[in-house]
């Protein structure tokens, strides 16, 4: 019997210690659910003692024009318009020779030929400045190349236009300078 009393006391003590861990009821005295006050429910005016009246600002009389040093083309989104950059592209090679003077003559001849043919060339093929002619030296050859094309299809159109005059011309990869 003594062990039974010990068990009853142990259960009672255990129940009391567990009761201390149970959170308080979330119901108010009327039996309804209690809600925590939100920021909207709190009236801050009873705590606030700042009077903004002495700090009132007048509205600006008219809209002021802002002056800046930013160029107009940057403001209009044309920052890279007219900028030259070097990219990997294509050119049409019209001559390869070991003789420097022959390469210079061929380049001058190509520019003269272009002056006569410019009106019959497709307008979008070469820029308004004319057909760019480049003489490139890579030992032991001087190479005369024309054009600055970013795509192979443009270079192929130029090759078709140049092939009646330069039958041995062909397309080569090269670093080209283009204007955006």
């Amino acid at each position: 019997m003594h062990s039974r009393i010990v068990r009853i006391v142990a259960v009672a003590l255990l129940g009391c210690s567990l009761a201390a861990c149970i959170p308080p009821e979330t119901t108010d005295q009327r039996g309804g659910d209690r809600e925590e006050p939100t920021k909207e429910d709190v009236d801050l005016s009873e705590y606030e003692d700042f009077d903004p009246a002495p700090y009132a600002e007048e509205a600006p009389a008219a809209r002021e024009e802002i002056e800046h040093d930013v160029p107009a083309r940057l403001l209009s989104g044309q920052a890279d318009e007219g900028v030259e950059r070097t990219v990997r592209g294509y050119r049409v090679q019209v001559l390869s020779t070991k003789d420097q003077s022959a390469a210079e003559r061929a380049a001058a001849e190509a520019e003269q030929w272009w002056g006569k043919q410019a009106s019959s060339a497709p307008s979008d093929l070469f820029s308004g400045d004319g057909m760019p002619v480049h003489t490139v030296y890579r030992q032991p050859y001087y190479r005369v190349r024309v054009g600055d094309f970013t795509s192979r299809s443009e270079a192929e159109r130029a090759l078709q236009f140049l092939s009646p005059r330069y039958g041995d011309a062909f397309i080569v990869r090269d670093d080209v300078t283009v204007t955006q």
Side-chain angles (χ1 to χ4, degrees):
M1 170 124 161
H2 186 343
S3 66
R4 190 173 186 192
I5 294 175
V6 173
R7 276 193 235 161
I8 292 173
V9 172
V11 170
L13 289 175
L14 182 63
C16 288
S17 65
L18 289 177
C21 296
I22 298 174
E25 293 183 20
T26 57
T27 59
D28 59 12
Q29 294 173 353
R30 293 173 294 180
D33 286 337
R34 223 178 15 174
E35 294 182 12
E36 293 293 322
T38 62
K39 289 183 180 180
E40 291 83 27
D41 294 337
V42 177
D43 184 17
L44 295 177
S45 63
E46 62 187 67
Y47 301 109
E48 190 174 292
D49 62 354
F50 176 73
D51 182 17
Y55 302 103
E57 286 189 32
E58 296 179 19
R63 184 178 173 117
E64 294 184 25
E65 191 65 33
I66 298 172
E67 293 183 28
H68 49 76
D69 295 333
V70 179
R73 71 180 203 178
L74 291 179
L75 290 174
S76 64
Q78 301 169 338
D80 56 357
E81 190 172 296
V83 175
E84 288 186 352
R85 61 186 176 108
T86 302
V87 297
R88 195 77 178 142
Y90 301 90
R91 290 192 172 131
V92 178
Q93 184 167 312
V94 296
L95 178 71
S96 178
T97 180
K98 290 183 177 181
D99 184 13
Q100 181 180 3
S101 60
E104 291 170 357
R105 282 193 307 272
E109 180 185 301
E111 288 175 355
Q112 288 176 356
W113 175 81
W114 172 253
K116 296 174 188 173
Q117 301 297 319
S119 60
S120 64
S123 60
D124 62 334
L125 194 56
F126 297 105
S127 67
D129 299 336
M131 179 177 66
V133 179
H134 306 276
T135 303
V136 179
Y137 177 71
R138 290 197 187 111
Q139 193 173 5
Y141 295 102
Y142 291 90
R143 296 168 174 95
V144 179
R145 297 176 175 173
V146 297
D148 288 323
F149 307 106
T150 55
S151 71
R152 183 157 183 100
S153 62
E154 291 176 325
E156 288 171 354
R157 287 183 50 225
L159 179 62
Q160 288 176 352
F161 181 75
L162 295 168
S163 61
R165 173 68 177 100
Y166 300 100
D168 294 335
F170 57 94
I171 298 172
V172 294
R173 291 279 290 174
D174 206 350
D175 292 332
V176 298
T177 302
V178 293
T179 304
Q180 292 183 328

